[in-house]
Amino acid sequence: NAGVTQTPKFRVLKTGQSMTLLCAQDMNHEYMYWYRQDPGMGLRLIHYSVGEGTTAKGEVPDGYNVSRLKKQNFLLGLESAAPSQTSVYFCASAGVKGSGANVLTFGAGSRLTVL
Amino acid sequence: GESVGLHLPTLSVQEGDNSIINCAYSNSASDYFIWYKQESGKGPQFIIDIRSNMDKRQGQRVTVLLNKTVKHLSLQIAATQPGDSAVYFCAENRETGFQKLVFGTGTRLLVSP
């Protein structure tokens, strides 16, 4: 089992460029999340999904879009990157309560730099 | 707004000592708490969790204590090892039946041999 896999691991963008971060999980988890981590800020929730075809806003959703077309994938898009979006992005997934897999499992992170 | 926070940003201990990492939370409605460990360049890794109907839970070399009266959470690591060096986050869940975690800012644990 690979768990939660994020691609790419590193990316440098220029202001205004667009890109998509891909998250894939092979644990058949219902819930998926995108967090960003900045120095001294901990992890903040950007968007999340409670199932295939559903998405919802988290704490800091502005400037990001997401899609969950397949249960195993959760995509995070930046339509017009800004320097304030320089961060490390973490994807996580979790199973439903009572499944024994309700704890969030995180990917290794994607470091994004916007110049 | 309500938040989960930590008292100490950095904790330095000697190998073999016991470590205590503290966390304060402000949402009395939170019913589930988790400690995560994050090593450099990696994603957070689950350590131990506790539900609000418990005061204490023990794992392998780790113990989590929950004091709901003062809204305080602590992680105790026994016989700390160099491999325990990492950033530790507490997180609280504010949703029923769904994991929507709010994370604290983290405490860095440095273990000297």
Side-chain angles (χ1 to χ4, degrees):
Chain A
N1 269 351
V4 178
T5 303
Q6 296 180 225
T7 53
K9 289 183 169 48
F10 302 94
R11 184 75 187 268
V12 178
L13 289 177
K14 294 181 180 178
T15 297
Q17 287 185 316
S18 63
M19 75 157 297
T20 300
L21 296 176
L22 171 64
C23 177
Q25 53 96 1
D26 60 2
M27 297 170 284
N28 200 34
H29 284 170
E30 288 294 327
Y31 309 141
M32 295 188 75
Y33 312 76
W34 275 107
Y35 285 87
R36 61 177 288 173
Q37 185 175 37
D38 302 296
M41 299 289 288
L43 289 95
R44 292 181 293 168
L45 182 63
I46 305 171
H47 286 281
Y48 63 98
S49 168
V50 299
E52 181 178 325
T54 73
T55 63
K57 294 180 180 180
E59 183 186 358
V60 289
D62 294 342
Y64 305 95
N65 57 76
V66 288
S67 64
R68 183 100 181 268
L69 299 179
K70 294 183 178 180
K71 185 177 183 179
Q72 64 268 32
N73 296 337
F74 196 30
L75 279 63
L76 178 70
L78 286 73
E79 291 187 347
S80 180
S84 61
Q85 293 178 304
T86 293
S87 188
V88 181
Y89 293 85
F90 287 98
C91 178
S93 70
V96 298
K97 196 172 184 179
S99 69
N102 195 224
V103 173
L104 267 67
T105 299
F106 283 86
S110 297
R111 182 175 294 276
L112 174 65
T113 301
V114 183
L115 302 175
Chain B
E2 294 176 312
S3 64
V4 175
L6 295 172
H7 298 303
L8 298 174
T10 303
L11 176 65
S12 297
V13 301
Q14 294 286 329
E15 182 178 0
D17 288 349
N18 295 332
S19 302
I20 299 176
I21 300 172
N22 297 303
C23 177
Y25 67 95
S26 57
N27 189 340
S28 57
S30 294
D31 63 352
Y32 180 59
F33 304 88
I34 307 175
W35 281 100
Y36 279 90
K37 173 186 179 182
Q38 186 177 27
E39 296 174 287
S40 181
K42 297 182 179 180
Q45 181 180 12
F46 171 85
I47 302 174
I48 192 168
D49 58 359
I50 188 168
R51 299 205 174 275
S52 58
N53 60 354
M54 301 172 68
D55 296 323
K56 179 180 179 179
R57 191 168 189 214
Q58 288 183 296
Q60 187 177 9
R61 282 201 306 119
V62 295
T63 300
V64 56
L65 299 177
L66 176 62
N67 186 330
K68 295 181 287 293
T69 302
V70 294
K71 298 187 183 68
H72 185 267
L73 192 68
S74 68
L75 176 70
Q76 300 179 0
I77 304 174
T80 312
Q81 302 169 359
D84 294 326
S85 293
V87 176
Y88 290 82
F89 294 94
C90 64
E92 63 181 306
N93 187 46
R94 300 177 182 175
E95 293 281 338
T96 301
F98 168 65
Q99 286 279 12
K100 189 177 179 184
L101 298 179
V102 175
F103 284 82
T105 54
T107 292
R108 182 174 300 279
L109 177 64
L110 299 176
V111 183
S112 303

